[in-house]
């Protein structure tokens, strides 16, 4: 059965209804385009039809966009000459949309043609907006929850079905920038005031129908003689400034590593100087260019397809009944505990927030109140909702309040003795079924589980700071953790709307295991005499959100020193990071603890605003006369993290490569353009990775030693995704 159906009423208005089978929201696929094409042909050729209304069979939404699984695989499916195959496929879509837009008008006089309106019950995203944009008038229901926009840029592509060309011509390059370059989504009223849609009405279908019957003018402004781009085309004085500014902004924000943003801007710039039909051809060429870049399929795979699979429970143990949490006990109302209480209350879960003193517990609850107040001033939440959420948090010192909790999350001091005592005291008051989780960032779960008489009900739920804004939660299974505990942790993470990864217990679990070597590699370079600005810029220019020196300033030098001491004590002679510690301990002795002390690898002003890199570093660690090239520094910084991800996989700490990639991007921002560390290795190829790690090992030491798994992949001409996830390999 087709996703599109058409009925012609007595007045000659064709009602085309889009209703994707088996989905709650419409998504476009290849067959959908073909079916719609046939219906448009019929509308235009049948004299009894006066015009058409395209609407949706779904309540509250028009369409969510293109099926991303299709976009991720488009390159593979495009035949022996994929660039040509892709371009031709994209042009077919343009022809259909242009057919709707021209609607049978005479090419020279713009006379004739049939009106085609879009009637949106609500949300219209991606191709779900590009199709209405090709229609002559867009009517949307007055539905404040609806989102109207073109979010493609967020997955590493850009609106490639005419959205880029049409929106920039409708609004001008400047006003189009937030919609195209940032993927900003608007509610219907804002979409109307910005000029993206035409009408917000109670009954969009009725209004659209009436409009179609009113014999309206349908020619688009850009098809009329003398049309000029709003705000000026590139060689107009105002337009010139817009494009200079936009180009600087795009390069500043993306550091040039996201091909889509640059391609989008090129399509707008070049398209603005030529007639519409040439402009969409240019748009199609740039879109092909982006789809041919491995970054786009890797980003879609990690940031959407695999993230969504993890969100939906891809790694949840089978057969365990729903473990949704009703009442959570949070032990410790410090920085982490307060955040955990906040996100739990927002998810509708009752929270008991316990600290040693009532003031401390109250302070934890006040953190949530503060957060809601900010939300009220930004109109993100109502005062009633604030009260409702806050009422769920019982801040107390009384362990008896924990009765009835089905999950405990412990976030007290990072001290095994304190944690063991808290665990024992909690287990005296909670029921036999209660799952106990620790938020430790460094202590082995299996060791902490010894404080419990039910180690199968003990698990790690590792949050990142600040809890309310970090999207990832790392769940760690101890040696004896059972399936119900894992399911409970996963169900809880789903309730608080974050993305989970599940790993096995090992030093620093997965995320910190990769991120600590990144920081350490930056610090090693300082000691070697690499210019600190080169280290930081190399990291940013390869897509890391923070350079390693800025990152250690943010997390604090004393935390680094504390972790170094504990790790050294645990590893003894095998401890490999003496060189790093020398710098860290020296900074510590200098009192340069990072942002918290307003002094670290960077200088800070009295308000705590980060200034330039600290000049004093060079007195202790002079800059070498000869500096490495940019790529060498970047490869060291990316490889040191990626090798740790491979070792985590070899050692069964990581059990699913999707978690390795999604976790790396969401937890510490591993170069998102790459799709994650394992996707990055796939992109450069196992052969080259083996060769490169051998060179790096020779120059810098065994921490770059080539893992056996990488050698095996190279020998078998395989990739991580072809070996471990053949069904979803996108490259
Ligand atoms: P914090 O010092 O801000 O808070 C700890 C809180 O626990 C304090 O309010 C303290 O009074 C309370 N506490 C101590 N002993 C207690 C007891 N016996 N009973 C009840 N409350 C007690 O520390 P934090 O940064 O929130 O870290 C807490 C835990 O989370 C640690 O295990 C830490 O390793 C882990 N963690 C921290 C981060 C981070 O970025 N800070 C990230 C992930 C995990």
């Amino acid at each position: 059965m087709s996703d599109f159906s058409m009925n012609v009423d007595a007045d000659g208005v064709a009602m085309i209804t889009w209703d994707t089978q088996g989905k709650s929201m419409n998504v476009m696929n290849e067959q959908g385009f073909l079916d719609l094409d046939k219906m448009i042909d019929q509308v235009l050729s049948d004299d009894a039809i006066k015009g058409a209304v395209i609407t949706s069979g779904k309540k509250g939404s028009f369409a969510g966009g293109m099926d991303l699984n299709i976009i991720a695989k488009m390159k593979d499916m495009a035949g022996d000459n994929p660039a040509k195959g892709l371009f031709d496929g994209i042009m077919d879509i343009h022809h259909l949309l242009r057919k709707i837009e021209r609607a049978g008008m005479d090419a020279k006089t713009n006379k004739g043609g049939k009106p085609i309106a879009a009637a949106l019950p609500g949300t219209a995203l991606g191709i779900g907006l590009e199709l209405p944009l090709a229609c002559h008038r867009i009517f949307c229901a007055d539905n404040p929850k609806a989102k109207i926009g073109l979010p493609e840029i967020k997955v590493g592509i850009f609106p490639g079905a005419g959205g880029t060309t049409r929106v920039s011509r409708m609004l001008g390059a400047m006003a189009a920038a937030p919609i195209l370059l940032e993927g900003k989504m608007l509610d219907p009223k804002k979409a109307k005031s910005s000029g993206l849609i035409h009408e917000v009405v109670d009954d969009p279908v009725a209004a659209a129908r009436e409009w179609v019957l009113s014999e309206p003018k349908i020619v688009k402004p850009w098809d009329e003689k003398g049309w000029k781009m709003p705000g000026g085309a590139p060689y107009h004085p105002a337009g010139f400034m817009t494009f200079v500014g936009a180009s600087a902004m795009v390069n500043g924000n993306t550091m040039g590593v996201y091909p889509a943003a640059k391609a989008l801007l090129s399509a707008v710039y070049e398209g603005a100087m030529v007639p519409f039909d040439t402009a969409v051809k240019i748009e199609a060429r740039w879109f092909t260019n982006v789809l041919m870049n491995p970054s786009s399929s890797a980003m879609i795979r990690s940031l959407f397809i695999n993230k969504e699979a993890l969100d939906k429970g891809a790694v949840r143990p089978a057969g365990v009944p729903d473990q949704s949490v009703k009442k959570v006990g949070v032990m410790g109302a410090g920085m982490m505990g307060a955040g955990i209480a906040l996100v739990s209350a927002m998810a509708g879960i009752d929270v008991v927030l316990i600290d040693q003193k009532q003031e401390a517990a109250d302070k934890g609850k006040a953190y949530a109140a503060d957060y809601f107040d900010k939300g009220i001033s930004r109109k993100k939440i109502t005062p009633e909702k604030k009260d409702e959420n806050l009422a769920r948090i019982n801040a107390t010192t009384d362990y008896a309040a924990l009765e009835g909790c089905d999950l405990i999350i412990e976030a007290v001091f990072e001290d095994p003795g304190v944690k063991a005592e808290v665990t024992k005291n909690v287990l005296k008051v909670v029921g036999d079924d209660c799952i106990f989780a620790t938020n430790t960032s460094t202590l082995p779960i299996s060791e902490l589980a010894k404080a419990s008489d039910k180690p199968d009900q003990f698990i790690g739920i590792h949050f990142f700071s600040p809890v309310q804004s970090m999207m990832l939660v790392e769940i760690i299974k101890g040696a004896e953790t059972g399936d119900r505990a894992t399911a409970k942790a996963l169900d809880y993470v789903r309730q608080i709307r974050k993305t989970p990864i599940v790993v096995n217990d090992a030093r620093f679990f997965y995320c910190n295991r990769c991120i600590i070597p990144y920081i350490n590699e930056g610090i090693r370079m300082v000691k070697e005499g690499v210019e600190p600005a080169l280290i930081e810029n190399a990291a940013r220019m390869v897509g890391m959100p923070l350079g390693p020196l800025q990152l250690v300033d943010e997390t604090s030098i004393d935390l680094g020193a504390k972790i170094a001491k504990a790790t050294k004590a645990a590893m003894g002679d095998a401890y490999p990071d003496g060189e790093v510690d020398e710098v860290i301990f020296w900074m510590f002795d200098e009192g340069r603890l990072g942002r918290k002390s307003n002094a670290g690898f960077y200088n800070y002003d009295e308000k705590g605003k980060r200034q330039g890199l600290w000049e004093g570093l060079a007195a202790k660690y002079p800059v070498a006369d000869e500096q490495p090239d940019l790529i060498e520094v970047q490869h060291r910084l990316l490889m040191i993290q990626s090798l740790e991800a491979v070792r985590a996989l070899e050692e069964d700490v990581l059990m699913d490569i999707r978690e390795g990639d999604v976790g790396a991007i969401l937890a510490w921002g591993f170069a998102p353009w790459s799709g994650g560390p394992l996707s990055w290795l796939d992109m450069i190829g196992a052969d080259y990775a083996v060769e490169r790690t051998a060179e790096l090992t020779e120059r810098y030491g065994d921490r770059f030693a080539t893992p056996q798994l990488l050698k095996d992949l190279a020998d078998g001409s395989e990739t991580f995704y072809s070996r471990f996830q053949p069904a979803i390999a996108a490259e």
Side-chain angles (χ1 to χ4, degrees):
M1 204 178 133
S2 170
D3 290 350
F4 286 86
S5 59
M6 186 168 100
N7 277 307
V8 182
D9 67 19
D11 292 326
V13 177
M15 194 62 63
I16 299 177
T17 306
W18 184 1
D19 197 350
T20 308
Q21 306 302 304
K23 299 248 182 201
S24 58
M25 208 185 267
N26 290 326
V27 285
M28 188 61 98
N29 53 35
E30 293 135 307
Q31 191 58 42
F33 282 126
L34 297 175
D35 295 345
L36 180 61
D37 196 35
K38 277 200 202 116
M39 286 170 197
I40 296 299
D41 281 345
Q42 199 187 331
V43 168
L44 299 182
S45 61
D46 185 341
D47 289 342
I49 298 180
K50 294 203 177 81
V53 173
I54 303 178
T55 190
S56 150
K58 308 289 184 201
K59 209 167 165 255
S61 70
F62 181 67
M66 191 75 192
D67 184 337
L68 283 173
N69 288 289
I70 295 178
I71 297 185
K73 296 215 161 115
M74 262 163 82
K75 189 170 130 196
D76 290 340
M77 299 188 307
D80 297 342
N81 184 348
K84 182 171 187 317
L86 282 171
F87 179 77
D88 291 346
I90 298 160
M91 284 311 295
D92 286 345
I93 300 173
H94 281 305
H95 290 141
L96 163 62
L97 296 180
R98 192 63 173 144
K99 187 170 11 182
I100 293 174
E101 185 159 79
R102 293 298 298 159
M105 274 179 271
D106 182 84
K108 284 217 172 93
T109 63
N110 282 332
K111 294 239 162 67
K114 296 183 181 180
I116 302 179
L120 319 177
T123 292
L125 299 172
I127 186 74
L129 179 60
E130 289 178 299
L131 168 58
L133 287 171
C135 297
H136 305 115
R137 200 151 184 91
I138 306 174
F139 296 82
C140 185
D142 187 5
N143 171 355
K145 287 204 176 128
K147 289 180 180 160
I148 312 283
L150 298 166
E152 284 88 340
I153 200 77
K154 295 184 179 167
V155 265
I157 54 174
F158 71 84
T164 295
T165 302
R166 287 195 174 86
V167 171
S168 57
R169 283 175 182 235
M170 285 160 72
L171 311 183
M174 178 85 97
I179 290 158
L180 297 175
L181 276 170
E182 295 165 27
K184 193 168 175 193
M185 294 183 270
L186 307 170
D187 65 33
K189 286 208 168 113
K190 288 211 181 94
K192 183 182 173 204
S193 60
S194 74
L196 202 54
I197 63 171
H198 305 102
E199 309 272 359
V200 178
V201 292
D202 289 336
D203 185 346
V205 171
R209 207 181 149 275
E210 206 173 301
W211 179 83
V212 164
L213 289 170
S214 70
E215 297 186 17
K217 184 180 170 208
I218 58 171
V219 63
K220 289 283 174 80
W222 44 84
D223 287 325
E224 296 204 276
K225 269 215 176 75
W227 174 80
K228 287 205 170 58
M229 175 127 167
Y235 291 119
H236 181 276
F240 184 79
M241 291 319 292
T242 305
F243 281 98
V244 169
S247 174
M249 191 189 88
V250 166
N251 278 297
N253 288 346
T254 66
M255 293 283 170
V257 288
Y258 292 90
K262 222 165 154 179
L264 166 81
L265 201 55
S266 297
V268 173
Y269 179 89
E270 293 165 19
M273 295 187 277
V274 292
F276 187 89
D277 288 306
T278 314
V280 286
K281 225 183 253 181
I282 291 172
E283 186 195 290
R285 287 202 193 289
W286 279 115
F287 194 48
T288 304
N289 178 287
V290 167
L291 292 178
M292 286 299 290
N293 190 313
S295 169
S296 62
S297 42
M299 277 180 80
I300 292 173
R301 186 176 61 195
S302 290
L303 289 172
F304 273 76
I305 299 171
N306 292 346
K307 177 183 173 298
E308 194 176 296
L310 296 176
D311 290 345
K312 286 191 173 158
V315 295
R316 191 182 187 279
V320 182
D322 179 40
Q323 296 291 318
S324 296
V325 176
K326 292 180 189 65
K327 184 175 173 188
V328 63
V330 179
M331 308 307 296
M335 187 163 103
M336 298 306 287
I340 297 166
L342 164 66
V343 297
S344 304
M346 284 201 295
I349 301 170
D350 286 332
V351 182
V352 180
L353 179 60
I354 293 204
D355 209 299
Q356 289 161 303
K357 296 226 166 73
Q358 188 61 41
E359 299 94 275
D362 289 342
K363 196 169 158 220
K365 183 167 175 176
Y367 180 82
D370 237 31
Y371 177 82
F372 294 134
D373 285 339
K374 282 196 191 106
I376 293 173
S377 68
R378 289 197 204 119
K379 297 204 167 22
K380 297 248 181 231
I381 174 177
T382 59
E384 296 74 41
K385 196 80 195 159
K386 169 193 163 183
D387 293 344
E388 197 184 302
N389 285 339
L390 270 188
R392 290 200 189 98
I393 305 178
N394 173 11
T396 177
T397 56
D398 181 8
Y399 275 49
L402 294 171
E403 204 193 322
C405 282
D406 50 333
L407 174 70
I408 299 289
I409 303 175
E410 167 277 298
V412 300
F413 297 138
E414 189 74 338
D415 177 314
V418 176
K419 285 188 187 295
E421 197 191 320
V422 168
T423 308
K424 288 200 173 101
N425 290 337
V426 167
L427 291 179
K428 281 183 207 153
V429 285
V430 295
D432 280 350
D433 287 346
C434 181
I435 301 294
F436 192 102
T438 171
N439 180 45
T440 180
S441 39
T442 57
L443 302 169
I445 304 302
S446 307
E447 284 300 311
L448 294 178
K450 288 182 180 157
S452 166
D453 56 346
K454 298 184 207 76
D456 59 318
Q457 295 187 177
F458 195 99
I459 195 161
I461 301 186
H462 181 208
F463 286 87
F464 298 86
S465 173
V467 176
Q468 63 277 16
S469 35
M470 297 298 287
M471 288 315 299
L472 194 86
V473 177
E474 186 177 26
I475 295 171
I476 306 112
K477 297 207 299 185
E480 294 184 60
T481 301
D483 277 356
R484 198 173 66 81
T486 309
K488 186 96 191 169
L490 283 165
D491 291 353
Y492 168 69
V493 173
R494 195 196 61 238
Q495 282 175 282
I496 59 171
R497 292 165 181 255
K498 296 198 185 281
T499 298
I501 62 170
V502 180
V503 302
N504 279 319
D505 193 15
R507 180 177 304 285
F508 300 136
F509 319 134
Y510 171 63
C511 296
N512 284 340
R513 173 185 185 142
C514 297
I515 195 74
I516 292 171
Y518 169 65
I519 291 176
N520 286 352
E521 200 59 27
I523 295 175
R524 281 176 201 276
M525 290 189 209
V526 168
K527 183 145 189 289
E528 289 166 21
V530 179
E531 178 72 69
L534 173 57
I535 304 170
E536 295 292 270
N537 286 332
R540 299 284 318 281
M541 288 166 74
V542 81
M544 294 300 295
L546 273 66
L549 306 180
Q550 188 186 345
L551 184 56
V552 72
D553 265 12
E554 297 292 335
T555 52
S556 90
I557 304 281
D558 51 335
L559 179 67
K562 204 171 147 198
I563 292 176
K565 277 187 196 146
T567 313
K568 197 170 175 177
M571 292 183 77
D573 288 346
Y575 182 69
D577 294 326
E579 304 269 295
V580 178
D581 293 355
E582 194 192 304
V583 182
I584 288 274
F585 291 140
W586 177 72
M587 291 286 285
F588 183 83
D589 292 342
E590 294 287 304
R592 299 195 71 93
L593 305 184
R595 177 182 286 286
K596 71 197 250 189
S597 67
N598 260 11
F601 285 102
Y602 284 83
N603 291 319
Y604 297 82
D605 68 14
E606 60 288 352
K607 285 192 187 129
K609 192 161 186 282
R610 193 164 47 83
Q611 309 290 306
L613 281 150
W614 176 44
E615 322 72 27
L617 197 57
K620 176 80 175 169
Y621 298 106
V623 171
D625 290 342
E626 212 171 305
Q627 291 293 310
D629 75 31
L630 181 69
I631 302 287
E632 179 84 353
V633 176
Q634 291 178 329
H635 277 184
R636 280 178 73 174
L637 292 174
L638 286 191
M639 198 58 96
I640 202 76
Q641 304 172 66
S642 305
L643 288 177
E644 228 31 83
V646 178
R647 290 182 196 122
L649 187 62
E650 282 184 327
E651 293 164 22
D652 203 32
V653 172
L654 262 184
M655 291 170 277
D656 185 319
I657 60 168
R658 294 176 294 182
E659 296 179 301
D661 274 349
V662 173
I665 298 176
L666 297 190
W668 73 94
F670 182 97
W673 62 267
S674 70
L678 301 167
S679 286
W680 179 65
L681 289 171
D682 277 357
M683 218 177 260
I684 65 172
D687 274 341
Y688 179 64
V690 168
E691 193 185 306
R692 197 72 185 102
T693 45
E695 285 165 7
L696 293 172
T697 307
E698 199 176 306
R699 265 176 235 162
Y700 306 106
D702 281 347
R703 61 187 184 283
F704 287 103
T706 316
Q708 187 57 43
L709 177 54
L710 210 46
K711 290 184 192 160
D712 293 348
L713 293 181
D715 288 346
S717 302
E718 287 178 282
T719 63
F720 285 98
Y721 278 83
S722 70
R723 177 183 285 204
F724 295 102
Q725 287 288 335
I728 56 164
E731 243 308 281

